[in-house]
Amino acid sequence: VCVAVFVTTLDGLIVNIALPPLSSELGATTRQLQWIVDSYLLVFTGLLLAAGGLSDRFGRKRALVIGLAIFGITSAYAATVDSANGLIVARALMGIGAAGIFPATLAIITNVFTDRVERAKAIGIWSATSGVGVAAGPIAGGWLLEHFWWGSIFLVNIPVVIVGIAATVMIVPESKDEHTPPLDWGGLLLSIAAITALVFTIIEAPVYGWLSTIVIVGFVSSAALLAAFVAYELRLEHPLLPVRIFKNLRFSAASVSVTSAFFALFGFVFLITQYFQLVRGYTPLQAGVRTLPVAFSIAFASVIA
């Protein structure tokens, strides 16, 4: 399970170290570089809730194996493209596989470790694996870029995926819930639309201007779609996201904290890897090593938490 979640975290960050080479070799603009990073995350987050529901219904082990297979195949495809726009599409396809992997891993842990103490330890290790991925991504990416071409940062996913599939097939027990409610397609579409509108507007705002008509319309549209999503979910007996749970202040505070932390982390990594290489003149590997304090902090804090 940790191998599976590791490869999604690894890929989410390994591409950041390759942004300067991608800019020069593929002629990618800053906007295209943002989309190379964010198209993966956008599809990943947009399909996360739906993928979790499907894995509960049809089998978590099956979902994990399928997600890993999709991730491996699309990683190989990403390594072969020859344009920035092609890489954006490939990264979006990789996000489909990641969406199948991530919720299945946590659901499997919850199902296998029924004792609360064991489950807490397992989730701590699962979380710390993300910290290891934060470290391994830039360092592995830096080493690969110094010895091979940029496509190697995607090919490195394939052996990890093979190990993950083999271990899942041999070790992980199948589990599912036959009585899960029907998938909330309306909520799914509204959530994807709201997230897409918001992320698209933030990425495109520097191009058009933060106070331009198209950007203001984008922010208003994303807010309207979010409001529509909340209103729609409140009417359903079995919503995709039970929004009333946000009345629990502990849950809401935790959600805001996690959102803020990842917003800061991905923004930081996107900029710092370019700063290290383009301003300070470090090689990709030297830049990767200098992200280690962040990674170690995440891994250490996850285990303590």
Side-chain angles (χ1 to χ4, degrees):
V1 164
C2 283
V3 168
V5 78
F6 172 76
V7 77
T8 61
T9 309
L10 177 77
D11 188 81
L13 291 162
I14 195 172
V15 74
N16 285 276
I17 205 73
L19 292 178
L22 290 174
S23 177
S24 59
E25 295 186 33
L26 295 181
T29 64
T30 300
R31 179 168 53 168
Q32 287 175 317
L33 291 177
Q34 284 185 289
W35 276 114
I36 288 170
V37 173
D38 289 332
S39 60
Y40 171 78
L41 296 172
L42 187 62
V43 175
F44 177 21
T45 54
L47 296 179
L48 202 58
L49 290 172
L54 290 172
S55 69
D56 287 340
R57 179 178 293 275
F58 297 108
R60 292 148 189 154
K61 176 178 181 177
R62 182 181 302 174
L64 184 55
V65 170
I66 292 173
L68 284 166
I70 292 173
F71 196 84
I73 293 168
T74 52
S75 293
Y77 171 65
T80 65
V81 299
D82 57 2
S83 68
N85 288 335
L87 186 55
I88 292 170
V89 173
R91 293 277 294 161
L93 295 174
M94 291 173 69
I96 298 173
I101 294 169
F102 209 80
T105 59
L106 194 55
I108 288 168
I109 286 176
T110 304
N111 180 72
V112 171
F113 297 95
T114 54
D115 179 77
R116 290 185 63 185
V117 175
E118 286 190 348
R119 181 184 296 172
K121 291 178 180 177
I123 292 175
I125 295 170
W126 176 87
S127 302
T129 304
S130 297
V132 175
V134 171
I139 291 176
W143 185 85
L144 289 167
L145 289 168
E146 289 192 6
H147 293 83
F148 306 99
W149 96 115
W150 62 264
S152 61
I153 65 171
F154 300 111
L155 291 181
V156 74
N157 292 333
I158 297 174
V160 183
V161 163
I162 292 171
V163 171
I165 290 175
T168 300
V169 170
M170 290 187 293
I171 299 170
V172 175
E174 183 60 283
S175 63
K176 58 183 176 180
D177 184 358
E178 299 281 0
H179 305 293
T180 52
L183 188 61
D184 172 18
W185 289 103
L188 174 63
L189 295 175
L190 282 171
S191 67
I192 293 174
I195 294 171
T196 303
L198 179 61
V199 174
F200 178 85
T201 303
I202 291 173
I203 291 176
E204 296 295 318
V207 177
Y208 294 100
W210 287 91
L211 297 178
S212 64
T213 301
I214 190 170
V215 170
I216 292 173
V217 169
F219 280 124
V220 171
S221 299
S222 59
L225 286 166
L226 179 60
F229 171 75
V230 172
Y232 181 81
E233 295 296 275
L234 287 171
R235 292 168 40 211
L236 297 182
E237 182 180 358
H238 300 291
L240 183 70
L241 178 66
V243 292
R244 287 185 178 87
I245 198 173
F246 287 97
K247 289 182 178 179
N248 183 323
L249 295 182
R250 287 178 294 183
F251 179 83
S252 295
S255 298
V256 171
S257 297
V258 170
T259 301
S260 302
F262 274 95
F263 184 89
L265 174 64
F266 280 93
F268 165 77
V269 173
F270 181 83
L271 291 174
I272 203 68
T273 50
Q274 297 180 76
Y275 169 76
F276 280 155
Q277 294 178 68
L278 301 178
V279 179
R280 300 301 298 271
Y282 296 141
T283 65
L285 181 57
Q286 290 172 333
V289 170
R290 281 161 175 78
T291 64
L292 279 177
V294 179
F296 288 148
S297 298
I298 293 173
F300 178 75
S302 296
V303 174
I304 297 301

